[in-house]
Amino acid sequence: VYNKAKLLNREAARLAMSVFQRRLASSTYALLRSFERRIEKLDNLIQDVQDGKLSTEQLLNLQRRIHEEDDVLDAKTADDESGEEGLEENELAEDKLLQGVVAASLADLLAERAQVQQLLHLARKVHDAGHESKFEKLREVLTDAQFSGEKFIIFTEHRDTMEFLARRLSGMGFTGQVAQIHGGMSAQPDAASGLSERERQVEFFRKPVSEGGARFLVCTDAAGEGINLQFCWIMINYDVPWNPARLEQRMGRIHRYGQKHDPVVIMNLVASKTREGKVLKVLLDKLERIRKE
């Protein structure tokens, strides 16, 4: 579909496909949630065409408008993002991008819906089987004897993957030891504690495990904005941002003034045969060229 969209110069559809490529590299759960949202968008478009509310020309105009939307994860850092209605700006933008289609007729829309339904069924089978190579690699790191008792920050670009990780960590026996931060959290202080939800999660992570604190902070890039976490020295990027500025921002949470531990350990989990793997290879090749020069 991505290649067909490229051939037909349908930029909106290409952006929609890139959402799936990015999420596939993150987690099966994030991908299947996007397929569910995609089907919802297709259902709405199909209904509008069947009801006569949307002509072929209007459908093409809609695609042109979507094309003008920014891919927020590429275009902005977490510092630049704004959110509303409990959602991060990148989540709102992605929701619009998922309306991007190659289809120019009702028959095309129905055919794509059937295709996405098959992909969703396949994604659910993979997810329910419970074998996620990235998570198995994460489990190896978390249970490595050299990191025994240490705190970990685990970053992901997607809130769906964050929720998946929190569930799986609880399943490993870490119930009550997982703090979470995402950009949809309220910034308003709580009357009882005087802290916002995000600040409460940071304090939960800061508190020693022996005193009931969290051992893990699972977060989206929203935690890369204005939070000092240098009491922790191990960071895992469960997925790697395609925007190097976002990667730099994440690392700056712990690799900063006030960090007393040497070394600081930052690991990138990368599914090599995906778009994510290709992006990281380009990034590393560029860094190697700069180093040589």
Side-chain angles (χ1 to χ4, degrees):
V1 174
Y2 185 90
N3 289 336
K4 185 179 176 185
K6 189 175 179 181
L7 196 68
L8 295 173
N9 199 26
R10 300 279 172 76
E11 190 60 28
R14 285 180 69 194
L15 287 169
M17 293 309 106
S18 74
V19 168
F20 297 135
Q21 291 172 331
R22 184 184 266 134
R23 282 178 160 256
L24 171 65
S26 180
S27 70
T28 309
Y29 180 68
L31 180 64
L32 76 82
R33 290 291 290 126
S34 278
F35 284 148
E36 288 170 348
R37 294 176 191 125
R38 175 71 164 185
I39 287 171
E40 190 183 316
K41 300 294 181 194
L42 289 169
D43 282 343
N44 291 338
L45 288 171
I46 289 165
Q47 191 66 53
D48 285 349
V49 172
Q50 287 175 333
D51 291 348
K53 294 177 183 173
L54 196 64
S55 67
T56 301
E57 184 56 38
Q58 286 170 324
L59 183 61
L60 291 171
N61 284 336
L62 173 66
Q63 302 310 304
R64 281 192 278 271
R65 285 202 303 276
I66 293 169
H67 173 204
E68 290 162 10
E69 290 287 333
D70 274 338
D71 182 347
V72 173
L73 291 175
D74 266 354
K76 295 184 176 183
T77 65
D79 281 354
D80 301 324
E81 272 196 63
S82 58
E84 57 186 74
E85 299 165 9
L87 294 171
E88 296 179 10
E89 187 179 348
N90 70 80
E91 291 173 321
L92 293 164
E94 185 178 288
D95 193 57
K96 290 177 185 169
L97 291 180
L98 284 177
Q99 294 179 82
V101 293
V102 177
S105 68
L106 178 59
D108 286 347
L109 286 169
L110 290 167
E112 187 182 331
R113 193 196 184 286
Q115 186 183 26
V116 178
Q117 193 68 54
Q118 283 183 324
L119 290 168
L120 174 59
H121 176 66
L122 185 59
R124 280 184 178 144
K125 276 176 68 177
V126 173
H127 177 257
D128 292 347
H131 302 301
E132 190 113 2
S133 57
K134 253 190 185 182
F135 190 82
E136 292 313 311
K137 183 56 70 175
L138 176 67
R139 187 198 301 270
E140 279 179 34
V141 175
L142 300 184
T143 55
D144 190 320
Q146 67 173 312
F147 301 133
S148 179
E150 295 294 343
K151 288 179 180 275
F152 292 85
I153 300 169
I154 306 171
F155 266 105
T156 173
E157 282 197 310
H158 308 287
R159 201 194 309 192
D160 292 321
T161 298
M162 184 193 84
E163 290 168 0
F164 159 77
L165 288 169
R167 278 199 307 275
R168 290 295 298 267
L169 288 170
S170 293
M172 281 177 66
F174 297 114
T175 305
Q177 296 183 45
V178 184
Q180 297 179 55
I181 294 177
H182 59 79
M185 288 179 159
S186 170
Q188 297 303 313
D190 173 73
S193 65
L195 300 174
S196 67
E197 188 180 358
R198 185 164 117 155
E199 289 166 336
R200 285 201 304 277
Q201 290 296 311
V202 171
E203 289 312 307
F204 176 36
F205 184 52
R206 192 188 302 274
K207 188 188 290 186
V209 176
S210 59
E211 296 174 19
R215 185 161 176 219
F216 307 98
L217 172 63
V218 185
C219 49
T220 68
D221 285 323
E225 180 196 358
I227 298 178
N228 301 336
L229 300 167
Q230 63 267 47
F231 54 87
C232 174
W233 58 275
I234 311 167
M235 178 183 291
I236 299 171
N237 291 313
Y238 195 78
D239 46 45
V240 177
W242 299 4
N243 178 346
R246 283 181 173 259
L247 187 58
E248 177 65 30
Q249 199 174 57
R250 288 180 184 184
M251 294 191 290
R253 295 308 96 215
I254 62 172
H255 191 253
R256 60 187 298 136
Y257 291 115
Q259 174 59 259
K260 294 182 173 61
H261 198 279
D262 186 15
V264 166
V265 175
I266 296 170
M267 302 180 205
N268 301 314
L269 300 184
V270 181
S272 58
K273 293 181 181 178
T274 63
R275 180 59 62 92
E276 177 186 56
K278 291 174 186 171
V279 166
L280 189 68
K281 184 178 185 306
V282 169
L283 186 62
L284 292 174
D285 286 347
K286 279 183 180 175
L287 289 171
E288 183 62 14
R289 274 203 306 277
I290 293 165
R291 190 186 67 81
K292 283 178 178 172
E293 287 167 12

